[in-house]
Amino acid sequence: MKVRDKTAKRRFGSAERDMIALGIAIASVILFVGTGGSLMPKIVRSWMGLGGAPDLALTNAVLLNIALLIFGWRRYNELHREVAERRRAEEKARELAEIDPLTGCLNRRSGSPAIEHLHEKATKSHREVAVFMIDLDNFKQINDLNGHQMGDRVLAAISRRIRDLLPAEGLIARIGGDEFVCALPYESTRRERIEDFAAQIIKAVSAPIEANKMIVESTVSVGIATTAEANIAQSASLADTLIHRADIAMYHAKKNGRNRFFWFETQMEDELRFRNELESGIRRGIPAGEFVPFYEQQIDLETGELVGFEMLARWNSPRYGLISPEVFIPIAEDIDLISELSECLIRQALRDAREWDPRLTLSVNISPLQLRDPWFAQKLLHLLLESGFPANRLEIEITESCLHENIGAVRSIVSSLKNQGIRVSLDDFGTGYSSLYQLRSLPFDRLKIDRSFVAEITREGGDSGLVEAMVSLGKGLALPVTAEGIESPEVLNALKGMGKLKGQGYLYGQPENADATRMRLAELKMLANEEAKPATSSKKPTSQRKAG
Ligand code: C2E
Ligand code: MG
Ligand code: MG
């Protein structure tokens, strides 16, 4: 309070002084004009010896007047400087409050008011405003692999590229770590201009960025929302609604493969709401035990024997019923819960599998994200020790898409799994782009041919050449092969002719929960405490029992 008083006093003091200085200056000018005008020539003539000296008092008064004028002029200059300095300080403060120091873009706080302002201007000229939400696709990876300094450089470079594309009236704000918002006015009949702009951003960003003698590549996903959309006028804050909608559309672009743009559509909002419900459902469902393992039979195609099971996760959601892993695994990956979820499923599966015939194996799928965890092999070992399940009966399935990730990290995890006696197979083979070099250099134990190729075998116009080629590749690399997705006896027969394979598919039954699996094994006398008997194909009749 005291400080504020002091400042106020200081300000008042200087204002008072300024008023006095102004008064003195005006008075001196009036005096100078009044007396100096007639007296100055006399004084000058007297100094030159051309006339008599004017009245001394008047001369002194004029000289004093001149001194006052000089004083007033100096004060004026000082004031001018002070005002300029204050303006600079205010400008700096505004900049700090409104501008992102790293990229020079507007910041989160100033972005929305700037969009509102742009909209006001656009409305006057009967134009619409388009808002673009731009999010980097791999920023976390750039930061993790190259450090935050490199991350900062990438952000600065990308913002520069986008700014270069912006028309004069457009604006750009950085509203999050790697999120930018652009806004620009456009004629409602020229929607294609907006698409062009989005496409240009995507292209410009994708060019390699060179910094610190390194080259980094990045892509962006873009969402677009405009004031031309329905219901937009009713929203409380137009800018915030536009940003929110563009964000939803951007999220859609991410979900649909990234490095692309999407226009906002109203049903996207419902999808997002559903997705949020699923996210919170997963968070609640893990500790509540809603995620359960199902088991799909794996058969030796030559002998027809049941040789093991693949564990396939299911979510028994109280709200939506049984949900497929294809729905919840990607979400669990996005919200960083995949390791927790996977551990809880594997723990249950190992407990279930302990009751099975010791000749049966258990395969489990793992997410590429788990391969980034340097402790993954240790965690798995811990689960094995905890359950007492032998490592050599466990098989880990890694999808082919994992091989695009850091191949060195994949190799070291695969090697440490193998050192523990765990087998590793390459799942969905044929759907990714693994090179022969990768196949040879990674110590896999098995290839699993993706079901899309297997289904081709007997489809009309389809052909079995690809599957045959994959089987021979497996032979060449000395890797046993499993064919997935066997749905019909015709496919089974075709596969049998190709050599010694394992297989799985709905022909043998749908995946079943732990109880149904135990019952199936009891019928086949293949439970751990049963007397070991040769296993036979379990194709009928229990295979028709509905899972769950
Ligand atoms: P996947 O590992 O390739 O598993 C095979 C999928 O094909 C399973 O789908 C299975 O039900 C289905 N399938 C099996 N036989 C047939 C058939 O004859 N015809 C057809 N049309 N489909 C068949 P599901 O259970 O929906 O699992 C889908 C994918 O989800 C799995 O593909 C696997 O990649 C992933 N997944 C499942 N459980 C887990 C898990 O615990 N962790 C992780 N990370 N991923 C999992
Ligand atoms: Mg699998
Ligand atoms: Mg598969």
Side-chain angles (χ1 to χ4, degrees), residues 25 62 108 124 200 273 307 310 316 357 398 406 412 496 505 508 535:
V62 167
R108 180 173 197 98
K124 282 183 196 146
Q200 279 173 27
R273 207 167 294 124
V307 289
E310 174 174 3
N316 215 340
D357 186 309
I398 295 177
N406 188 348
S412 93
K496 273 182 171 171
Y508 301 99

Side-chain angles (χ1 to χ4, degrees), residues 298 309-310 361-366 371 394-403 410 414 417-418 422-429 439 442-449 479-484 502 504:
Q298 295 179 317
F309 289 94
E310 174 174 3
T361 56
L362 169 71
S363 304
V364 297
N365 295 281
I366 58 153
L371 285 184
L394 181 66
E395 189 165 300
I396 296 293
E397 296 193 2
I398 295 177
T399 50
E400 201 179 8
S401 51
C402 287
L403 305 186
V410 175
V414 169
L417 290 174
K418 293 203 49 141
I422 299 168
R423 272 172 291 175
V424 183
S425 56
L426 185 61
D427 201 2
D428 302 339
F429 178 58
L439 282 182
L442 284 165
F444 289 116
D445 295 290
R446 172 171 295 277
L447 294 181
K448 294 189 72 178
I449 303 176
L479 289 177
V481 173
T482 297
E484 297 180 321
K502 271 210 234 172
Q504 53 186 96

Side-chain angles (χ1 to χ4, degrees), residues 488-542:
S488 66
E490 292 78 35
V491 170
L492 174 63
N493 284 334
L495 287 168
K496 273 182 171 171
M498 291 183 197
K500 197 171 153 36
L501 300 179
K502 271 210 234 172
Q504 53 186 96
Y506 293 167
L507 177 66
Y508 301 99
Q510 299 264 336
E512 296 168 319
N513 67 15
D515 286 343
T517 304
R518 200 182 308 107
M519 276 162 66
R520 172 186 295 282
L521 291 175
E523 277 176 36
L524 293 168
K525 305 256 184 289
M526 290 188 80
L527 285 175
N529 49 6
E530 306 266 353
E531 204 184 312
K533 284 189 181 158
T536 50
S537 166
S538 56
K539 192 175 151 191
K540 320 177 282 189
T542 43

